Amino acid sequence: MTEVKEQVALITIFGGTGDLANRKLYPSLYHLFTKGFLKENFAVIGTARRPWTNDFFREKVVESLKGIEEEGFDPQDFASHFYYQSHDVTNRESYVQLKDLSDELDKKYELQGNRLFYLAMAPNFFGTIASRLKSEGFVDNDGFSRLIIEKPFGRDLASAQELNESLRQAFAENEIYRIDHYLGKEMIQNISVIRFANSIIESLWNNRYIDNVQVTLSETLGVEDRGRYYEESGALRDMVQNHILQIVSLLAMEPPIKLTTQEIRHEKVRALRSLRVIEGEDVYKYFVRGQYGPGTVDGEQLEGYRQAENVDPDSNTETFVAAKLMIDNFRWSGVPFYIRTGKRLAKKATQIAIQFKSVPMNLFGGQQSLAGNVLVIHIQPDEGITLHMNVKEPGQGMLTMPINLNYAHSSPDGMNTPEAYEKLIQDCLNGDATYFSHWDEVSLSWNFVDKVANVWSNTKEHFPNYTSGTMGPKEADKLVAQDGFEWFE
Ligand code: BG6
């Protein structure tokens, strides 16, 4: 059990009327409240341009908790800690008012000057807000000042660098918490335990025993109403630069000498540094891009990406990426890490499949082929692990049959997985940055992704090239087939 340590802080959310705040942040804070991590000594300021009153804001907060109310914890009581401040991020006067309110709440709730700023809004203002927080004296208080920043962290290395520099003028690296919500997922955090707490796993975790690794993040939803953002991003920047490379670094890293933030990050950075840079013509050998066209899913006719709102009817933006990554170090030399992500695919599933090498020869009958050993880490919607093995078919003879050893969180006596955001906010309040991205990781990831993006932006692909409701373009299958493998479904 995690020790319940009460957190004392003022949490200021920029983008307090937004979708993320309503869907994720308020419910997460409520959970921290019902679990006793937040009690009396906390306050939340929501800011946005709209002229809301405190009462109206609190109603919205209570509404966001529909269906998750816990007995004995009155949502109204929770919401009474919330304050609204209409705010124009570019206007100095707005910060003066916000500072007054912050100081007042600091006294009222005895917050010891602890401040957490959460930027949950359009990224073009991140730099402006950070520098104002500094110039208007928000961060010169007795307690801690921490900044949580949502993705996207830039759109390439240059813009990420620029953003980072502007944040660093106000906050030190150890005060900046760059969110990658995948790092808050239960089974992503479990990767280190599965690897480093099990000698039978870690001793096989290398190129002598592993054939290939597959990371799949597939989604059934299309781009929905995010066309404007997505046109600028595409699947490479939206999913590969952050979530997928983070997962790959956790899978590939060496064991840290201690389980501290610094040591873990150090190893992740080393893994990312070993990632083979793919550029020029090689991009076409190692990467496949796709864009969904119309299709019928569950009897419903769905439009293609190019027909979505705010999307160029001739768009060259990819909604699917598959790639073969190589990690050039002693442990992984020669082992492909295949990655795959896309929108409007056949199923919503995030999983990692570790395919082990075949036994040297099949002793059990000429015709009968032996299924390979695969360790599958299910991240969502199921959470758990499955080990695919072979056993003897009961009865006479020596026939083999494949079986699965399963561990699933969703089993009846399983645990309740806390929402990723809840864990990450709690970590930040605790000053634990382990599951946030360090600048070195972000910059290495952009450096890798930029080379691919540059090649793609200079050539037009024959889009759309996959039908909604399928598992992407056939080139993605060829990518693994040419090495003698297939995607693990
Ligand atoms: C976000 C992307 O980072 O992750 C979205 O911007 C994507 O495009 C989402 O849909 C997927 O997250 P999850 O937790 O639903 O797998």
Side-chain angles (χ1 to χ4, degrees):
M1 277 298 286
T2 321
E3 184 201 342
V4 180
K5 182 168 155 231
E6 189 192 339
Q7 305 292 341
V8 176
L10 171 64
I11 302 167
T12 304
I13 300 177
F14 291 86
T17 58
D19 193 46
L20 181 81
N22 278 308
R23 279 191 312 116
K24 305 278 184 187
L25 307 186
Y26 303 145
S28 299
L29 290 170
Y30 179 66
H31 284 141
L32 294 178
F33 180 69
T34 61
K35 290 177 184 170
F37 293 106
L38 295 175
K39 283 188 179 153
E40 286 311 311
N41 304 102
F42 82 97
V44 179
I45 304 179
T47 79
R49 287 187 77 115
R50 302 174 200 189
W52 284 5
T53 61
N54 284 342
D55 285 344
F56 187 71
F57 180 44
R58 288 172 190 166
E59 265 173 47
K60 289 284 177 196
V61 171
V62 170
E63 257 173 46
S64 75
L65 309 178
K66 275 227 165 68
I68 60 163
E69 299 93 337
E70 295 262 346
E71 231 182 281
F73 294 92
D74 183 2
Q76 305 284 352
D77 182 22
F78 168 71
S80 71
H81 289 253
F82 283 64
Y83 295 79
Y84 187 77
Q85 177 77 50
S86 173
H87 185 80
D88 173 355
V89 292
T90 56
N91 176 338
R92 180 168 174 262
E93 187 51 33
S94 272
Y95 290 88
V96 174
Q97 288 166 10
L98 186 63
K99 172 87 173 21
D100 289 346
L101 178 61
S102 305
D103 293 343
E104 183 190 319
L105 296 179
D106 197 280
K107 280 207 197 81
K108 177 166 176 185
Y109 291 93
E110 297 173 17
L111 303 177
Q112 302 165 16
N114 290 337
R115 291 186 178 170
L116 192 164
F117 304 95
Y118 200 123
L119 306 190
M121 54 178 304
N124 36 338
F125 292 118
F126 289 171
T128 314
I129 297 173
S131 64
R132 286 290 186 192
L133 291 177
K134 170 86 175 164
S135 64
E136 301 309 317
F138 283 82
V139 295
D140 306 326
N141 39 334
D142 295 338
F144 63 69
S145 296
R146 296 181 188 140
L147 180 76
I148 298 194
I149 177 158
E150 274 293 329
K151 61 168 278 216
F153 200 91
R155 111 168 265 284
D156 51 24
L157 181 57
S159 56
Q161 243 154 0
E162 195 180 315
L163 170 60
N164 200 49
E165 274 157 28
S166 61
L167 299 182
R168 286 299 305 276
Q169 286 175 13
F171 295 88
E173 172 63 33
N174 66 4
E175 294 175 323
I176 302 174
Y177 290 71
R178 298 177 195 80
I179 288 252
D180 183 319
H181 77 283
Y182 265 68
L183 295 181
K185 291 185 192 282
E186 186 60 39
M187 289 307 295
I188 298 287
Q189 299 195 348
N190 215 331
I191 293 173
S192 317
V193 182
I194 294 167
R195 287 190 55 191
F196 306 133
N198 295 294
S199 70
I200 58 161
I201 303 284
E202 189 52 25
S203 51
L204 301 181
W205 207 259
N206 57 51
N207 54 5
R208 278 164 62 201
Y209 302 102
I210 293 178
D211 237 353
N212 71 83
V213 176
Q214 300 185 7
V215 178
T216 300
L217 274 58
S218 83
E219 298 188 84
T220 47
L221 286 181
V223 69
E224 312 304 304
D225 53 5
R226 295 166 73 221
R228 200 183 304 275
Y229 154 76
Y230 204 83
E231 275 288 89
E232 286 296 307
S233 147
L236 185 68
R237 295 185 174 92
D238 189 45
M239 300 292 276
V240 178
Q241 183 272 336
N242 38 55
H243 311 320
I244 291 190
L245 290 182
Q246 282 290 333
I247 296 174
V248 168
S249 68
L250 287 167
L251 291 170
M253 70 190 244
E254 292 301 314
I257 54 173
K258 272 195 220 128
L259 219 52
T260 58
T261 306
Q262 210 188 355
E263 295 299 342
I264 294 172
R265 282 176 157 179
H266 178 73
E267 296 304 340
K268 283 169 71 189
V269 165
R270 273 165 42 95
L272 290 170
R273 283 175 48 211
S274 318
L275 197 58
R276 186 182 305 169
V277 172
I278 308 295
E279 53 194 329
E281 279 300 301
D282 277 348
V283 168
Y284 293 101
K285 280 195 224 139
Y286 287 83
F287 276 79
V288 169
R289 58 180 158 163
Q291 187 193 79
Y292 65 84
T296 310
V297 178
D298 293 335
E300 199 191 336
Q301 176 62 35
L302 298 171
E303 59 181 14
Y305 175 69
R306 289 178 173 184
Q307 286 76 53
E309 207 184 320
N310 294 319
V311 169
D312 178 353
D314 197 27
S315 175
N316 197 36
T317 301
E318 78 287 351
T319 61
F320 176 97
V321 176
K324 170 176 161 177
L325 311 183
M326 300 304 293
I327 295 172
D328 292 326
N329 62 18
F330 256 53
R331 184 188 283 263
W332 293 116
S333 178
V335 180
F337 279 61
Y338 298 108
I339 59 159
R340 180 171 63 148
T341 184
K343 298 217 178 269
R344 275 289 174 71
L345 299 184
K347 57 179 179 200
K348 167 86 186 167
T350 304
Q351 70 175 32
I352 298 161
I354 314 289
Q355 299 205 325
F356 291 90
K357 289 194 196 296
S358 308
V359 287
M361 61 186 281
N362 182 357
L363 294 173
F364 305 96
Q367 296 306 313
Q368 202 187 0
S369 69
L370 273 182
N373 292 142
V374 186
L375 173 70
V376 185
I377 305 179
H378 307 277
I379 292 155
Q380 62 186 24
D382 305 329
E383 293 187 332
I385 52 180
T386 306
L387 183 59
H388 294 249
M389 296 182 59
N390 296 302
V391 295
K392 177 180 172 299
E393 199 175 285
Q396 284 158 329
M398 275 305 259
L399 292 180
T400 64
M401 65 174 193
I403 53 126
N404 297 344
L405 300 181
N406 271 321
Y407 160 69
H409 280 178
S410 44
S411 61
D413 58 348
M415 57 183 109
N416 232 339
T417 302
E419 172 62 60
Y421 274 91
E422 181 189 327
K423 280 201 270 183
L424 294 175
I425 295 172
Q426 190 197 346
D427 281 355
C428 177
L429 286 167
N430 253 326
D432 181 350
T434 311
Y435 290 108
F436 292 83
S437 322
H438 188 275
W439 167 245
D440 293 347
E441 297 163 37
V442 174
S443 57
L444 283 164
S445 306
W446 274 126
N447 186 45
F448 178 79
V449 156
D450 276 0
K451 307 246 177 346
V452 179
N454 287 343
V455 172
W456 281 354
S457 64
N458 289 327
T459 46
K460 210 153 166 61
E461 191 60 77
H462 299 291
F463 284 158
N465 61 353
Y466 71 97
T467 309
S468 285
T470 64
M471 278 313 275
K474 51 185 184 322
E475 286 72 20
D477 297 332
K478 285 192 201 143
L479 183 78
V480 289
Q482 70 198 10
D483 295 336
F485 303 123
E486 53 186 55
W487 290 106
F488 185 86
E489 301 293 352

